[in-house]
């Protein structure tokens, strides 16, 4: 019993240190994918604009296993503004090296990828106060096929992250 209490105590302390060290994070949420990511399944993230003054970096976060068999990933990412404006992008991300080794961080077969969405070319500001929604859907296809892959294997979690941009 004492061992369990110590383990819980150290777990809580560890989480506190990890979270307190990442002071630039404004929003960071993951949603689990049940076994396979269906082509019609949309991961939605709602968050309030932190402010309309500072610059921010926006990321799509993914966790994948070695069951992911593609070298790239196509996503449809939709950003819904508070006033009703909707911006939709089809994005391509590299997921593996030419030799097939998966990119991302992690020691096991589970890799974590932090993929740029906004803020990498030019600064991104939330120019409207209020609630924003980000919708993420995969758009993968096999070469030469018109219809998309119905069930994408190897993606375990989809996340969205907002960070304060570092001042230059």
């Amino acid at each position: 019993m004492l061992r369990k209490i110590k383990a819980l105590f150290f777990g809580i302390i560890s989480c506190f240190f990890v979270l307190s060290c990442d002071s630039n994070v404004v929003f960071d949420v993951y949603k689990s994918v049940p076994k396979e990511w269906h082509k019609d399944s949309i991961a939605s993230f709602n968050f309030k604009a932190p402010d309309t003054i500072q610059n921010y970096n926006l990321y799509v976060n993914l966790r994948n296993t070695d069951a992911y068999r593609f070298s790239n990933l196509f996503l449809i990412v939709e950003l819904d503004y508070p006033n009703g404006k909707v911006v939709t992008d089809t994005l391509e991300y590299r997921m593996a090296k030419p030799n097939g080794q998966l990119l991302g961080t992690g020691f096991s077969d589970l890799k974590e990828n932090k993929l740029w969405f906004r803020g990498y070319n030019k600064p991104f500001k939330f120019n409207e106060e209020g609630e924003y929604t980000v919708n993420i859907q995969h758009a993968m296809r096999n070469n030469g096929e018109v219809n998309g892959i119905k069930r994408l294997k190897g993606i375990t979690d989809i996340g969205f992250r907002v960070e304060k941009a570092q001042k230059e």
Side-chain angles (χ1 to χ4, degrees), residues 37-53:
W37 191 3
H38 193 278
K39 71 178 186 78
D40 296 330
S41 178
I42 298 172
S44 293
F45 302 91
N46 299 308
F47 59 95
K48 192 171 176 92
D51 64 53
T52 57
I53 298 167

Side-chain angles (χ1 to χ4, degrees), residues 2-81:
L2 185 59
R3 189 180 299 164
K4 287 182 181 180
I5 292 172
K6 283 183 180 179
L8 180 62
F9 174 75
F10 286 117
I12 292 171
I13 294 297
S14 297
C15 287
F16 173 76
F17 282 119
V18 168
L19 292 174
S20 65
C21 293
D22 203 354
S23 61
N24 290 327
V25 174
V26 174
F27 180 85
D28 191 12
V29 174
Y30 278 90
K31 298 201 173 173
S32 294
V33 174
K35 196 170 181 182
E36 298 171 337
W37 191 3
H38 193 278
K39 71 178 186 78
D40 296 330
S41 178
I42 298 172
S44 293
F45 302 91
N46 299 308
F47 59 95
K48 192 171 176 92
D51 64 53
T52 57
I53 298 167
Q54 294 188 60
N55 292 330
Y56 291 90
N57 296 326
L58 282 55
Y59 300 94
V60 172
N61 291 331
L62 289 173
R63 292 184 184 125
N64 61 287
T65 66
D66 56 6
Y68 188 78
R69 61 184 184 95
F70 299 95
S71 63
N72 63 352
L73 175 68
F74 285 93
L75 297 176
I76 299 169
V77 182
E78 177 184 278
L79 178 61
D80 299 351
Y81 287 73

Side-chain angles (χ1 to χ4, degrees), residues 70-154:
F70 299 95
S71 63
N72 63 352
L73 175 68
F74 285 93
L75 297 176
I76 299 169
V77 182
E78 177 184 278
L79 178 61
D80 299 351
Y81 287 73
N83 72 357
K85 175 181 158 183
V86 177
V87 178
T88 304
D89 293 301
T90 302
L91 306 168
E92 179 183 13
Y93 297 104
R94 203 170 119 211
M95 298 295 288
K97 294 179 180 179
N99 68 1
Q101 180 185 359
L102 290 174
L103 298 172
T105 59
F107 296 108
S108 66
D109 73 330
L110 183 66
K111 299 295 182 190
E112 189 159 341
N113 293 276
K114 186 175 174 183
L115 310 169
W116 278 102
F117 175 55
R118 291 276 189 271
Y120 59 95
N121 282 2
K122 62 179 186 173
F124 178 82
K125 286 188 179 162
F126 292 100
N127 56 13
E128 298 173 19
E129 292 181 352
E131 188 84 13
Y132 285 75
T133 301
V134 172
N135 297 307
I136 304 170
Q137 180 178 21
H138 87 76
M140 292 297 292
R141 291 172 172 30
N142 285 314
N143 286 340
E145 292 184 15
V146 174
N147 294 325
I149 295 171
K150 194 169 191 172
R151 289 181 175 84
L152 185 61
K153 295 179 183 176

